[in-house]
Amino acid sequence: MIKEIKIYKGDIIFCESPDKFTTLENGYIITENNKIKETVQELPAEYSDIEILDFSENLIIPGFVDIHLHAPQFENLGLGYDNELLPWLENYTFPEEAKFSDTKYAEEIYKKFIKALYMHGTARSVVFSSLHLESTEILADLFLESGLGAYIGKVNMDRNSPSYLTENYKKSLEETEYFIKKYNKPDSMIKPIITPRFIPTCTPELMDGLSKLSEKYNVPVQSHLSENLSEIEWVKELHKEIETYAGVYDHYKMFGDRPTIMAHCIHNTDDEIKLMKEKGVFVAHCPTSNFNLSSGIAPIRKFLDNNVKVGIGTDIAGGHTISIPETIISAIHASKMYSVYADRTFHSLSISEAFFMATKGGGEFFGKVGSFEKDYEFDALIINDNELSGDSNKSIQERLEKYIYFGVKENIIKMFVSGKEINRDRF
């Protein structure tokens, strides 16, 4: 294989671990075949003849990773937040998702959705589609065209749903297997993920079938867990024989038997948290959605202290914004309120911890993604923060903090995903 070396220069900042930033002023990221070879302060002499992509005076940060969002809810951003979860689903979400039986509508909305990911710097995402196979294929094909990375799931739901969104479980499994076989390609940036909406909308027969598909094709799993107290009681009524909500997923071998993301995890028991640690289950922390739908505040410090993997999810349209920086801020705010009103022994999230979750923390679900360490894929945003930083005496970390709290999408001037520059004017 021919070695393709590229060198990027700028004010570099990333997190190797949650507790601190690594910064290099006027540093260099050296990539070989789109993966990072080394990140250095001084350029080694051996690279003196190679052209440098010079972004001096701009920040270079990892591309953002969103590990939980609903593409067909894009048009519902900002709607229905006087409701809690279950009535919000019934009155807003399900009627909107039903529209995706229309493939023309699906293409229109999904192009707007991917454009929004571009503009806000989300390089990788883990996405719920609707239950409609053809529209899910459209979403996957648009992502393939986009250059972004994603796991995409055709939603499965065959009970306790409106008639217009209730599948026959056999057809649901057939269509899911078709989608997996079509898009489960080894080197693709777009991959399938098994996606039962949540336990109340999936029969035991459907869950058993999805588990077998996950095992057969070695496909990861995503769903929701312990988002809302009424939801938890509903699951107890449906599965009286199983002690916990997480235990239902575990019963069907869909809880860490393959890579697994569970969104929200607000009201988990200690036993559930222990099981999540043992099985490597990721928490998708969705603070904006949790606020909007009055679901509660997830005890993220408890997960971190127990070495449970945590990433950030915007959870549109429960969440009102597709912006990861805004969601980082909400995660920090949520942790502060938890420490004040729920448990004063909990330390609120630091900026480095929240940034880590939004980059390397969630990026781990994709492999070596979300950092500028050796052998990581080069996902990067170039941030022009000149108007934000004011005087020239601010540190690189302070400049990043200003961008997170005060920046706008227009501050992102370039985006790279797996070493390839993204044309953000597409769509």
Side-chain angles (χ1 to χ4, degrees):
M1 178 184 292
I2 297 174
K3 293 182 179 179
E4 182 182 18
I5 305 292
K6 292 184 180 179
I7 301 172
Y8 305 82
K9 180 182 180 182
D11 294 329
I12 300 162
I13 182 165
F14 60 103
C15 288
E16 295 184 44
S17 61
D19 58 320
K20 64 178 181 179
F21 288 101
T22 297
T23 61
L24 295 90
E25 185 175 0
N26 289 319
Y28 300 86
I29 301 173
I30 302 164
T31 68
E32 181 179 305
N33 298 335
N34 300 325
K35 292 189 177 181
I36 294 168
K37 189 173 184 182
E38 52 185 324
T39 299
V40 294
Q41 185 64 71
E42 302 293 337
L43 189 66
E46 63 186 285
Y47 301 112
S48 59
D49 294 334
I50 296 176
E51 181 182 0
I52 296 171
L53 285 79
D54 193 344
F55 300 111
S56 295
E57 299 184 2
N58 293 284
L59 296 173
I60 305 180
I61 70 173
F64 294 123
V65 181
D66 187 336
I67 66 168
H68 182 70
L69 69 171
H70 295 260
Q73 296 177 22
F74 183 75
E75 284 294 282
N76 271 7
L77 284 168
L79 295 179
Y81 301 144
D82 287 342
N83 294 261
E84 290 190 5
L85 173 65
L86 298 180
W88 178 78
L89 289 171
E90 181 179 349
N91 296 326
Y92 289 89
T93 301
F94 291 157
E96 177 61 22
E97 289 194 10
K99 297 177 184 178
F100 285 78
S101 61
D102 180 345
T103 55
K104 290 184 178 179
Y105 183 77
E107 183 173 9
E108 174 190 345
I109 301 305
Y110 286 155
K111 283 183 176 179
K112 292 169 66 174
F113 166 72
I114 293 175
K115 180 72 171 180
L117 295 178
Y118 279 155
M119 303 314 295
H120 289 278
T122 302
R124 313 264 178 157
S125 50
V126 185
V127 184
F128 277 59
S129 180
S130 66
L131 58 77
H132 307 96
L133 174 61
E134 291 184 355
S135 290
T136 305
E137 291 178 273
I138 288 170
L139 179 62
D141 290 340
L142 288 171
F143 260 109
L144 284 168
E145 183 183 344
S146 75
L148 302 178
Y151 282 95
I152 298 171
K154 188 204 94 65
V155 165
N156 306 101
M157 45 198 296
D158 70 333
R159 68 173 176 181
N160 295 325
S161 306
S163 58
Y164 54 82
L165 279 184
T166 301
E167 302 176 287
N168 172 277
Y169 86 90
K170 290 183 179 179
K171 183 180 179 182
S172 180
L173 293 172
E174 289 170 0
E175 292 185 343
T176 300
E177 184 168 25
Y178 172 87
F179 183 75
I180 290 170
K181 291 168 73 172
K182 182 174 180 179
Y183 292 99
N184 197 24
K185 310 299 182 185
D187 297 323
S188 177
M189 293 287 288
I190 306 305
K191 293 184 181 297
I193 184 168
I194 297 289
T195 308
R197 180 170 221 114
F198 65 156
I199 293 298
T201 60
C202 298
T203 62
E205 293 82 4
L206 180 57
M207 291 294 289
D208 183 62
L210 291 173
S211 175
K212 289 174 180 175
L213 289 177
S214 176
E215 181 179 13
K216 180 179 180 180
Y217 295 103
N218 194 28
V219 174
V221 174
Q222 64 174 344
S223 196
H224 301 85
L225 176 63
S226 299
E227 180 178 358
N228 173 279
L229 294 173
S230 298
E231 165 207 10
I232 294 169
E233 289 304 313
W234 195 7
V235 172
K236 286 180 180 179
E237 292 174 9
L238 292 168
H239 292 273
K240 294 183 175 67
E241 74 286 2
I242 299 175
E243 189 170 338
T244 65
Y245 194 162
V248 181
Y249 289 111
D250 193 44
H251 173 78
Y252 290 105
K253 300 187 186 304
M254 298 176 73
F255 203 71
D257 297 86
R258 263 74 55 196
T260 301
I261 293 174
M262 288 288 151
H264 303 291
C265 301
I266 300 169
H267 307 287
N268 288 29
T269 67
D270 289 344
D271 285 344
E272 287 177 314
I273 293 172
K274 181 180 178 181
L275 184 63
M276 296 178 81
K277 175 189 175 181
E278 291 173 355
K279 306 202 78 171
V281 173
F282 284 73
V283 173
H285 180 36
C286 308
T288 55
S289 174
N290 300 342
F291 289 150
N292 288 335
L293 300 178
S294 302
S295 298
I297 302 176
I300 294 303
R301 176 64 59 201
K302 193 170 187 177
F303 289 108
L304 297 178
D305 287 349
N306 282 279
N307 296 314
V308 175
K309 300 174 182 180
V310 182
I312 291 286
T314 59
D315 190 33
I316 65 164
H320 60 274
T321 175
I322 205 167
S323 164
I324 289 290
E326 289 183 39
T327 311
I328 288 173
I329 296 167
S330 291
I332 294 171
H333 288 169
S335 71
K336 290 180 177 180
M337 293 302 98
Y338 192 92
S339 68
V340 170
Y341 292 107
D343 189 339
R344 286 188 172 272
T345 67
F346 274 37
H347 297 292
S348 58
L349 291 174
S350 67
I351 185 72
S352 66
E353 287 175 316
F355 187 79
F356 177 91
M357 290 191 299
T359 53
K360 186 177 178 179
E364 185 183 340
F365 195 77
F366 290 84
K368 290 192 171 183
V369 166
S371 183
F372 294 145
E373 300 165 60
K374 180 177 172 58
D375 294 329
Y376 273 63
E377 295 187 57
F378 183 65
D379 288 10
L381 305 177
I382 312 301
I383 309 293
N384 182 338
D385 66 322
N386 291 338
E387 293 185 4
L388 300 176
S389 59
D391 66 71
S392 59
N393 296 322
K394 290 184 177 64
S395 69
I396 293 175
Q397 179 177 331
E398 289 172 331
R399 289 166 58 194
L400 176 66
E401 290 180 22
K402 289 277 285 186
Y403 165 67
I404 294 295
Y405 275 93
F406 190 53
V408 293
K409 61 183 183 294
E410 286 77 15
N411 294 121
I412 303 171
I413 59 173
K414 285 188 181 292
M415 181 180 192
F416 298 87
V417 179
S418 194
K420 298 177 182 177
E421 184 174 352
I422 298 296
N423 174 10
R424 296 166 69 230
D425 292 326
R426 190 184 282 126
F427 303 134

